């Protein structure tokens, strides 16, 4: 066992810059005229932090509504400095135009639900997040004890939530 660990320490990744080859069936580079996804930094979110700063803890990008322009999904919480402040999840778009700024167009998760969002992703137009929460008011806010997997999909002109794991599990 020690010999295997020692040998693994000697194996190092190759140095230098690899030649740029497109991966077969891999992600393609964005076309030059494809707009960039909105930047989640520097936006004031509709989250009341009672004077504390807002903090973006996770972002994911993708075309959620099929218009060919990427949106950004941001998990935001108050930067309270202690405990586990709840998250809100927002969808941002950038309007067309050279000086267009990002803006919030939808709230997927309200902070009032008192959940913490982890593992935020966008894939095939679906937003997915693991939501940590509390089974009762007696559970300390720094120690969530339930976990749910939630998905949101753009359908019929609005985001619809699909709880894929509606039975909360212990964390």
């Amino acid at each position: 066992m020690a010999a295997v660990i020692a040998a693994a320490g000697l194996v190092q990744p190759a140095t230098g810059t690899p030649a740029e080859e497109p991966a077969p069936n891999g992600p393609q580079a964005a076309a030059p005229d494809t707009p960039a996804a909105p930047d989640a930094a520097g936006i004031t979110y509709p989250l009341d932090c009672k004077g504390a700063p807002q903090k973006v803890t996770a972002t994911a990008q993708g075309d959620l509504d099929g218009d060919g322009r990427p949106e950004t999904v941001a998990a935001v919480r108050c930067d309270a400095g202690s405990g586990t402040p709840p998250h809100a999840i927002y969808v941002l778009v950038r309007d067309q135009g050279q000086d267009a700024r990002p803006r919030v167009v939808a709230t997927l998760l309200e902070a009032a639900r008192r959940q913490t969002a982890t593992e935020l992703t966008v894939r095939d137009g679906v937003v997915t997040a693991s939501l940590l929460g509390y089974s009762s008011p007696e559970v300390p806010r720094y120690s969530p004890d339930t976990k749910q997997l939630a998905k949101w999909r753009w359908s019929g002109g609005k985001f619809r939530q699909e709880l894929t794991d509606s039975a909360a599990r212990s964390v």
Side-chain angles (χ1 to χ4, degrees):
M1 178 90 141
V4 172
I5 293 172
L10 295 175
V11 176
Q12 298 295 320
T15 59
T17 305
E20 301 245 352
E21 288 185 33
N25 298 325
Q28 301 295 319
D33 58 344
T34 302
D39 184 4
I43 295 175
T44 301
Y45 294 91
L47 178 62
D48 183 9
C49 290
K50 310 271 190 253
Q54 297 177 345
K55 182 176 184 176
V56 176
T57 61
T59 61
Q61 294 80 28
D63 183 8
L64 299 174
D65 57 5
D67 67 354
R69 297 183 316 172
E71 287 80 26
T72 297
V73 180
V76 183
R77 67 173 175 82
C78 297
D79 198 6
S82 63
T84 307
H87 277 100
I89 299 177
Y90 300 105
V91 177
L92 310 172
V93 299
R94 181 186 315 276
D95 292 325
Q96 292 182 348
Q98 187 174 11
D99 295 330
R101 297 190 42 83
R103 63 183 174 93
V104 174
V105 294
T107 301
L108 302 181
L109 178 69
E110 296 278 350
R113 296 220 8 225
R114 300 197 175 281
Q115 294 180 306
T116 301
T118 63
E119 302 171 26
L120 185 65
T121 62
V122 172
R123 184 169 289 121
D124 298 326
V126 177
V127 178
T128 304
S130 291
L131 303 176
L132 303 179
Y134 308 93
S135 59
S136 74
E138 289 76 32
V139 175
R141 295 298 145 210
Y142 59 82
S143 184
D145 66 341
T146 64
K147 182 177 183 177
Q148 292 180 315
L149 182 65
K151 293 184 178 188
W152 294 268
R153 179 185 312 271
W154 180 258
S155 175
K158 65 181 179 178
F159 286 98
R160 299 186 189 275
Q161 183 177 6
E162 305 167 1
L163 279 177
T164 58
D165 184 3
S166 59
R169 299 188 313 259
S170 292
V171 176

